[in-house]
Amino acid sequence: MLRVIVFGCGAALMGLEMVAARVLAPYLGNSIYVWGAVISVVMIALSLGYALGGQIADRFGAVRALPPVIAGAALATVAAPPIAAAVLPAASEFGPRLGSLAAAAAIYFLPALLLAMVSPMGVKLASSSGIEHIGRSAGNLYAVSTAGSIAGTLATSFWLIPILSLEPLVVWTGFLLLALALAATRVATADAPGVTPATAAAESDPRGKRDTGGARAGGALTVTVTLALAIATTALGGFVLWRVAPAPAENALGEAVLFRADTQYHRITVTEDAEVRHLRFDSSHQSALEIADPYVSRIRYPDYMHLALALKPDPERVLVLGLGGGAITKRFWRDYPDVQVDSVEIDPVVVDVARRYFWLPEDERLRIFTEDARRYVQRTGETYDIVIVDAYYSDSLPFHLTTDEFLREVRAVMAPDGVIAYNVISATEGDGSELFRSMYRTAEGVWDDLWVFPIGIGGDAGAGAAAGAARRNIIVLASDTRLPESELRARIADRVGGIVTIRDFEAMADDLYTQPVPVADVPLLTDAHAPVDSLIEVQ
């Protein structure tokens, strides 16, 4: 039973660590800073917990300390969701580095500390079989704990998050620890190797004397404290499952919540108001389609992707990397009936949501591939006239979809006169422009001509330098097609021969950015060096 307890605590610890980054994501993003903060907090907790657990085991006895320590970890675990709800809004104001550290420490330090104390206490119990076996006992228990950590990592990341969602998963982890705490009240005197009631009494006395009366009194106190913690854990866990875990009827914006689920990649939420249906991944606003006409996007940047037709007016095949609510994919499918549209989406739940809630049609001209976008580009045998990259968020970029190597792989599947279009959120000038300029530098090393459309900058012409410093959606088109600026503007003005029906399409020419883009001070993004998280942070 001792090995079962150590295994279970190891599994719970790593399960919490895997969940932690996902809990922080809606407020702090999915950057490497979040993962670094979570791992650092857990490692600090482990270091202190191992030392503290050993001291407590020697001073008070593992028999007395182990059950309440595990029960305390159970209570701290089920308390994590309400603590997260309280601290994350404030932590997000501190930025991705300090905010992630503060939030991870507030939510997960205490349960990780308590769980780390279990292994040295287990070693203390196992050593009752004799000091000559202490090395073997310690090695076996730490191996069992590590095996539990592996199991918890795999089970949580591969299966449990989508099945249970985040808050219920955390609560049931706490209930598992509670069961282990109750089992621990008997392990020392019944199931630990070489432990008898007499040796348990000696172990429970810090002076090593056999005081069975004191042991019985200490055992009663242990059971009392453990049961009190168990009652508190059960009550708080029930409250979280009842009030915190279920999706609310409305979000903070007053929108009705139609769907919410945690997947391996995001917390997906579908909401709607009187006119618009919205899709969000964590805190990132992905799609906003009009209910009356679900081909009309209230988020402007999907419309700007149709500028690619000004460079390639007669496409036959279009590839969209990233699906979301399907705003780009289905509009290309509907507006250009001679075009084959292929879309790649890594998350199968997103595909289901797009079909169920965002009216994504099923048609032989509209194919959906569920896999990583780069893997699709690497293996496909298709050639595309237009490639649209719609996989970048405001607070997180999949770095492997930004690099020189990736862009060259995309170019290899494009027609010679093909066009790539991507959206990046950045400034065009000033201290907040590093992300845009770094991606621009990378793209201009692959294609001859780049065209930049910062959305709305034409209307900010009177703002001077402030217009370039404003953070906004920026559409970048890249191609080897040599086209004079006057011809590009003319094609936009006449809606590419009248085939483009996007509202205010002609006005998009006003956003064409013609200033030089300095790139000497920003990095070229490569698979070996793509610091996109730090580039986002300076926005």
Side-chain angles (χ1 to χ4, degrees), residues 28-98:
L28 294 158
N30 283 304
S31 72
I32 195 171
Y33 301 127
V34 170
W35 277 106
V38 169
I39 293 171
S40 296
V41 166
V42 171
M43 294 301 291
I44 293 170
L46 288 176
S47 179
L48 295 176
Y50 290 149
L52 184 60
Q55 293 180 14
I56 290 176
D58 284 344
R59 182 172 182 180
F60 299 104
V63 172
R64 296 180 180 179
L66 184 62
V69 163
I70 300 176
L75 180 59
T77 297
V78 300
I83 292 175
V87 305
L88 282 173
S92 66
E93 301 296 325
F94 299 147
R97 295 187 183 185
L98 181 58

Side-chain angles (χ1 to χ4, degrees), residues 176-211:
L176 168 65
L177 290 172
L178 185 57
L180 295 175
L182 296 176
T185 59
R186 296 180 58 83
V187 68
T189 58
D191 296 305
V195 180
T196 66
T199 57
E203 189 275 340
S204 68
D205 190 319
R207 296 165 299 175
K209 297 180 180 180
R210 296 187 179 184
D211 180 7

Side-chain angles (χ1 to χ4, degrees), residues 249-265:
E250 291 187 352
N251 65 7
L253 301 173
E255 300 162 352
V257 177
L258 305 181
F259 175 85
R260 190 179 77 171
D262 292 294
T263 75
Q264 287 93 339
Y265 304 97

Side-chain angles (χ1 to χ4, degrees), residues 164-398:
L164 293 177
S165 194
L166 297 180
E167 292 86 357
L169 176 55
V170 171
V171 171
W172 284 107
T173 300
F175 288 165
L176 168 65
L177 290 172
L178 185 57
L180 295 175
L182 296 176
T185 59
R186 296 180 58 83
V187 68
T189 58
D191 296 305
V195 180
T196 66
T199 57
E203 189 275 340
S204 68
D205 190 319
R207 296 165 299 175
K209 297 180 180 180
R210 296 187 179 184
D211 180 7
T212 56
R216 283 192 294 271
L221 179 61
T222 293
V223 171
T224 300
V225 172
T226 302
L227 289 177
L229 291 170
I231 294 171
T233 299
T234 303
L236 181 57
F239 172 79
V240 172
L241 292 175
W242 175 46
R243 295 298 300 271
V244 178
E250 291 187 352
N251 65 7
L253 301 173
E255 300 162 352
V257 177
L258 305 181
F259 175 85
R260 190 179 77 171
D262 292 294
T263 75
Q264 287 93 339
Y265 304 97
H266 324 276
R267 166 161 282 184
I268 298 174
T269 309
V270 178
T271 63
E272 71 176 17
D273 53 34
E275 298 180 347
V276 181
R277 186 165 292 177
H278 305 267
L279 175 67
R280 292 179 176 85
F281 296 166
D282 296 319
S283 61
S284 178
H285 200 181
Q286 292 294 305
S287 297
L289 301 181
E290 290 187 0
I291 297 173
D293 184 353
Y295 289 90
V296 175
S297 173
R298 289 290 185 90
I299 297 176
R300 195 70 174 122
Y301 84 85
D303 293 346
Y304 274 68
M305 294 300 187
H306 294 252
L307 287 167
L309 277 83
L311 295 176
K312 180 62 177 174
D314 56 348
E316 296 181 1
R317 304 183 67 85
V318 173
L319 175 64
V320 183
L321 302 179
L323 179 65
I328 297 172
T329 297
K330 67 183 184 180
R331 188 68 186 260
F332 268 79
W333 168 82
R334 188 197 71 171
D335 286 7
Y336 316 116
D338 296 327
V339 174
Q340 170 74 43
V341 182
D342 293 342
S343 193
V344 182
E345 170 58 50
I346 194 172
D347 192 338
V349 179
V350 173
V351 178
D352 294 338
V353 165
R355 295 198 189 282
R356 181 179 175 187
Y357 292 99
F358 291 93
W359 308 277
L360 182 70
E362 295 194 40
D363 185 83
E364 61 182 9
R365 283 197 305 109
L366 196 163
R367 300 188 299 177
I368 307 295
F369 298 91
T370 306
E371 62 179 297
D372 178 80
R374 184 162 182 179
R375 178 60 184 143
Y376 176 85
V377 169
Q378 290 171 340
R379 71 166 186 81
T380 186
E382 306 286 354
T383 298
Y384 294 96
D385 300 299
I386 296 175
V387 176
I388 297 172
V389 183
D390 186 27
Y392 306 146
Y393 312 145
S394 62
D395 58 5
S396 177
L397 276 73

